[in-house]
Amino acid sequence: MPHSLKRSDNPGHTDSWYAASAKDRRGRPGLEGEITADVCVIGAGFTGISAALELCERGFSVVVLEADRIGFGASGRNGGQIVNGYSRDLATIAGRYGAEKARRLGEMSLEGAAIIRARVQTYAIACDLVDGGFFAAFTDKQMREMEAHKADWEVHGHPGLEMVSASEVGRYVKTGRYAGGMIDKLGGHIHPLNLVLGEAQAVEALGGRIFEGSRVLGLDQSNRNVVRTASGSVTSDYVLICGNAYLGPQFPEISGRMMPVSSQVLTTEPLSAELAEALLPANYCVEDANYILDYFRRTADNRILYGGGIGYGGRDPKDIAAVIRPKMLLTFPELEKVAIDYAWGGNFALTLTRIPHMGRISPSVYFSHGDSGHGVTTTHLLGKILGEAVAGHAERFDVWSSLPNLPFPGGKTLRVPLTVLGAWWYGLRDRLGL
């Protein structure tokens, strides 16, 4: 069994391996007094920092208010996988919203990963970027679905997909669990907390100001926008609300249409380079095709980072390692005697449609949330689009904001049990191979 879990020694962050290995641990001061800016961004996760960086590059003065620490939420806790596309495939999007909307979203579907790679290069961000992702199938049915997704992706211009037979799985992951899969050469993985911290440093280098420990308590729109915290305020022409699952109750028109959902992650102790390479020879990240999926990868210091599980309403199990470790051992029984160093959870925002929700509260207050489990790439795309909209180029924003966003049936009282029931049904189908 694993030994006692390690602490990150990075105050204000959860006790994760990411926090323990963060390259920038500097605390930013809280907001004090009254200041002004062209744009006030609420939330210093991927969406908010991506928008802030886009705006700084365009010459806007930007203030970012973060209730906790930069990357405190899902942006600094996720599996670190660069997964292209959205939480619903383009064929489903076409069926719901029409071929033209699917075409427009398809045009943008690879951009989030491209933004990450461009910023890593432009700003020399050390975040352990590695190319390549593998989608693993358990059944022939899942293989047929992947083949259909591949054909649909290629219609929308994705050049990097290849099917993998059962006999070829060992090139990517050493396990007997899978019937095959598909690789995405445009996928990859990163240290997400170091990525968002590096992007935040780029914002600051361009003149943007970031305040931590500055929870927003209210927004006054009587004249210009005035965003208030306990010890200060920001007066601005525009406000971007980018709090996602950690937004809180201040903006019910947003938070009422999403549900926080937790996912859990662990990392092993460092393995020998030989064992790490034997388990994941190509150093691709992996996620399986089940409705409630497992995802895993190697880290730069030769740990196995393994995630899975789900907690609707944002609740983590009491013993995360006890839940996730058995999943890891099903895939890699070789790790039976390997210690678990870190185990943590974090919330992402789920919408009923599983499609991100963008819109305006007023002509000068924009928001984006609900990436529904595909946030690493989508947040970078949508943050950039928020910046474009503020700069007067709202064409792409209008595509996203035109998509209908629906409330959860039963409101806040019943949204969790009804969603759990639906997840149970789809999980049963996975177990039965239907």
Side-chain angles (χ1 to χ4, degrees):
M1 285 295 293
H3 56 63
S4 297
L5 297 177
K6 293 183 178 179
R7 299 186 65 83
S8 72
D9 192 28
N10 193 345
H13 283 286
T14 191
D15 287 321
S16 69
W17 173 74
Y18 294 136
S21 55
K23 294 184 180 300
D24 180 3
R25 302 189 183 192
R26 294 174 298 137
R28 274 71 172 179
L31 177 66
E32 297 283 347
E34 300 177 356
I35 63 174
T36 62
D38 295 330
V39 185
C40 179
V41 178
I42 300 172
F46 280 147
T47 305
I49 294 297
S50 177
L53 186 50
E54 174 71 18
L55 287 163
C56 286
E57 289 174 338
R58 290 174 176 267
F60 287 80
S61 63
V62 180
V63 168
V64 182
L65 300 179
E66 167 55 45
D68 296 288
R69 299 287 306 278
I70 296 167
F72 169 82
S75 299
R77 306 189 196 194
N78 64 76
Q81 301 208 14
I82 298 174
V83 179
N84 290 296
Y86 315 113
S87 190
R88 288 295 175 264
D89 60 76
L90 293 168
T92 299
I93 291 170
R96 287 182 186 173
Y97 311 123
E100 177 60 17
K101 293 288 175 62
R103 183 187 69 79
R104 294 298 306 277
L105 267 62
E107 288 176 346
M108 306 179 220
S109 58
L110 301 177
E111 188 173 342
I115 291 168
I116 292 170
R117 290 186 170 96
R119 288 177 174 170
V120 167
Q121 181 174 12
T122 299
Y123 298 106
I125 299 173
C127 61
D128 305 332
L129 173 62
V130 177
D131 292 333
F134 176 62
F135 299 96
F138 289 101
T139 65
D140 291 340
K141 175 178 178 289
Q142 290 179 347
M143 284 292 288
R144 293 191 296 271
E145 290 171 345
M146 284 185 186
E147 289 170 349
H149 293 332
K150 177 176 181 290
D152 191 38
W153 266 108
E154 289 171 344
V155 169
H156 293 276
H158 194 323
L161 302 174
E162 294 180 10
M163 297 303 297
V164 174
S165 68
S167 63
E168 297 171 319
V169 167
R171 297 180 184 176
Y172 305 98
V173 53
K174 182 185 177 182
T175 186
R177 299 186 73 191
Y178 303 135
M182 181 174 69
I183 61 169
D184 181 359
K185 295 180 180 179
L186 300 184
H189 54 95
I190 40 87
H191 186 302
L193 183 55
N194 279 336
L195 174 59
V196 72
L197 288 168
E199 291 172 314
Q201 288 178 325
V203 168
E204 292 169 325
L206 293 172
R209 291 173 287 176
I210 302 174
F211 297 94
E212 295 182 322
S214 300
R215 183 175 300 278
V216 170
L217 301 178
L219 169 61
D220 180 1
Q221 297 186 75
S222 58
N223 190 4
R224 291 181 77 194
N225 298 300
V226 181
V227 182
R228 303 189 185 281
T229 71
S231 57
S233 66
V234 180
T235 300
S236 62
D237 295 319
Y238 292 92
V239 174
L240 305 182
I241 303 172
C242 305
N244 231 326
Y246 292 83
L247 181 61
Q250 289 80 13
F251 302 100
E253 55 269 77
I254 303 173
S255 58
R257 299 212 169 198
M258 65 181 175
M259 177 169 59
V261 178
S262 71
S263 185
Q264 297 86 48
V265 186
L266 60 75
T267 55
T268 66
E269 64 183 340
L271 310 179
S272 68
E274 293 76 15
L275 178 56
E277 291 169 6
L279 297 179
L280 291 165
N283 201 11
Y284 281 18
C285 60
V286 181
E287 70 171 57
D288 69 43
N290 280 346
Y291 184 79
I292 300 176
L293 55 84
D294 288 358
Y295 50 91
F296 52 93
R297 63 183 183 87
R298 282 163 47 185
T299 66
D301 59 352
N302 289 322
R303 303 171 189 269
I304 297 297
L305 184 150
Y306 205 100
I310 201 162
Y312 293 107
R315 294 184 296 271
D316 285 323
K318 291 182 179 180
D319 189 341
I320 291 172
V323 173
I324 302 301
R325 184 172 177 271
K327 298 174 181 288
M328 180 184 73
L329 295 181
L330 282 175
T331 306
F332 298 126
E334 300 93 333
L335 301 179
E336 172 68 35
K337 296 184 179 180
V338 170
I340 306 302
D341 272 358
Y342 298 92
W344 68 94
N347 294 343
F348 62 89
L350 187 76
T351 65
L352 183 64
T353 62
R354 275 50 170 184
I355 298 295
H357 183 201
M358 297 189 80
R360 296 179 179 89
I361 291 178
S362 74
S364 60
V365 179
Y366 297 68
F367 66 85
S368 178
H369 76 271
D371 303 277
S372 299
H374 272 61
V376 173
T377 53
T378 311
T379 49
H380 280 82
L381 167 67
L382 299 184
K384 178 180 175 63
I385 290 174
L386 285 173
E388 292 173 353
V390 169
H393 306 286
E395 297 84 0
R396 302 204 300 174
F397 175 90
D398 290 343
V399 173
W400 282 98
S401 63
S402 71
L403 301 178
N405 184 268
L406 306 173
F408 282 86
K412 290 189 175 181
T413 302
L414 295 178
R415 66 183 181 182
V416 172
L418 290 175
T419 305
V420 169
L421 181 62
W424 173 85
W425 166 245
Y426 283 106
L428 178 64
R429 290 182 61 182
D430 286 338
R431 290 191 294 273
L432 297 177
L434 300 177

